[in-house]
Each structure stands twice: as C-alpha cells, then as structure tokens.
Amino acid sequence: DAGVTQSPTHLIKTRGQHVTLRCSPISGHKSVSWYQQVLGQGPQFIFQYYEKEERGRGNFPDRFSARQFPNYSSELNVNALLLGDSALYLCASSATSGTRPRYEQYFGPGTRLTVT
Amino acid sequence: AQRVTQPEKLLSVFKGAPVELKCNYSYSGSPELFWYVQYSRQRLQLLLRHISRESIKGFTADLNKGETSFHLKKPFAQEEDSAMYYCALRGPTDSWGKLQFGAGTQVVVTP
C-alpha cells in the first residue's frame, strides 16, 4: 500500500482563485481529516469526514469546504484564495474497527499551495 | 481555550546525551495526548500516545495532569532521533479525527 496519497504535490494560484486538493486514504480507511500547516507552525485541523459525512470542523471560514466520495477519497476546496492560504495542506486517514474508530492517523505527504 | 505549547523551537543535543522535549497543554477535561514525529523527507507519523504508556524507539512520555504537561524523554539520544517533534491532543468530546498540534520542536543530535 502506498499509504495516503495527495495530489497535486505543489500548485501556485492567484489571489481570488479557487483550488481543489485531493486525497486518497489507505485502503480500508473510511475516515479522512484535513489539516493546514503554515510555515513554522504545527498542523491545524480543518475538517474530518467519515462515511461521507462531516464529523468535525475546525475554525476556518466558509471559503473552505470538503467532501468525501463513496470510495472514501476526499476533496478539499478553497474559494476566493487569500495570500494567507499559502500553506502545506495535509490529509490523514484513520481506520475503524467496527463502529469504534482507531486513534492513529496516517498522514499523506501534503500539497504545497502558494497563493500569489 | 484548548492549547498545546511547545516552548522550544530548536533543541540541539550531543549523541548519547539525554533529551527532553517539553509539552504543556491547557484543556478543561481529560484529553488524549500524543507525540508525532516527522523525520527528514518523511511523513508525519505517530510516535506514542499517553494511554499506551509504552516506550517507542527509547522514548517515553509521562502525562502529568497536575502540571498539564506531557514531556517526551529519551535517556541517550541517537543521530537518527534528529527530526521535528509535535505534541498533539484530542479532547474527549472532539471527533476522533481532530488533533490539535503544538508548533513543534526541531531536534538536532550531533555526533
């Protein structure tokens, strides 16, 4: 298994544009979480999705949205990009054991977004 | 407000010396505490969690609820311990996929 995969690796956008980031979880993992990591800081939680439903939301504006597909992959969308959205966006997946979640999150390599 | 504080941005130690990474948290309740590590050119990965009370790669971490701390320790640092270390917490009412991270401590072990 390649682990959690994210695409694209890097991208550059202009202020005001829209961006879509993609994440594929580890096979069998049904939960996906998104984090934003600004340079010099730790990851900050944006969303968690499980079984295609939003299960948690961090303190981010409505310009940020996400969804999860039937195959458990996920997309993070950011509208009206601001310079401050420049960051590394991390995706993490976690397994579930029956209806009980497992605690460990497996992180992807991230997507580096630069807004100019 | 819940917060995770790692006071040291950079910790430089010699090989064979003890290393301690500090983590303090503020949370009104009983959160779960974790240490995640990121080695150079690798992904962020779980190192250990307080509930397990285990030693991973020689590292241990003790949860001190009175001092609200979860410091990471290793008695004899190795060069392969050079990495970025993040302390993280999850509140008991948080979704299980939500972690709050500290800013991280860069550990450099020199021979």
Side-chain angles (χ1 to χ4, degrees), chain B residues 1-14:
Chain B
Q2 58 189 67
R3 183 179 303 156
V4 179
T5 302
Q6 295 180 249
E8 305 124 336
K9 284 192 178 296
L10 174 65
L11 209 51
S12 185
V13 299
F14 287 106

Side-chain angles (χ1 to χ4, degrees), chain A residues 2 4 31 33 35 37 42-43 45 48 50 55 94 101 103-105 107-109, chain B residues 9 32 34 36 38 43-44 46 49 52 86 90 95-99 101-103:
Chain A
V4 177
S31 172
S33 296
Y35 293 84
Q37 186 172 20
F45 174 78
Q48 183 201 359
Y50 173 64
R55 298 302 179 105
S94 56
Y103 60 86
E104 183 170 358
Q105 293 195 40
F107 283 84
Chain B
K9 284 192 178 296
E32 292 181 81
F34 305 85
Y36 275 77
Q38 186 166 26
R43 304 174 183 202
L44 193 59
L46 177 67
R49 63 194 284 245
S52 302
Y86 294 95
R90 177 168 58 225
S95 61
W96 75 92
K98 177 182 179 180
L99 290 173
F101 288 86

Side-chain angles (χ1 to χ4, degrees), chain B residues 6 9 11 14-15 23 25 44 55 65 68 86 94 104:
Chain B
Q6 295 180 249
K9 284 192 178 296
L11 209 51
F14 287 106
K15 177 182 175 181
C23 173
Y25 66 92
L44 193 59
S55 173
K65 292 185 178 181
T68 59
Y86 294 95
D94 289 337

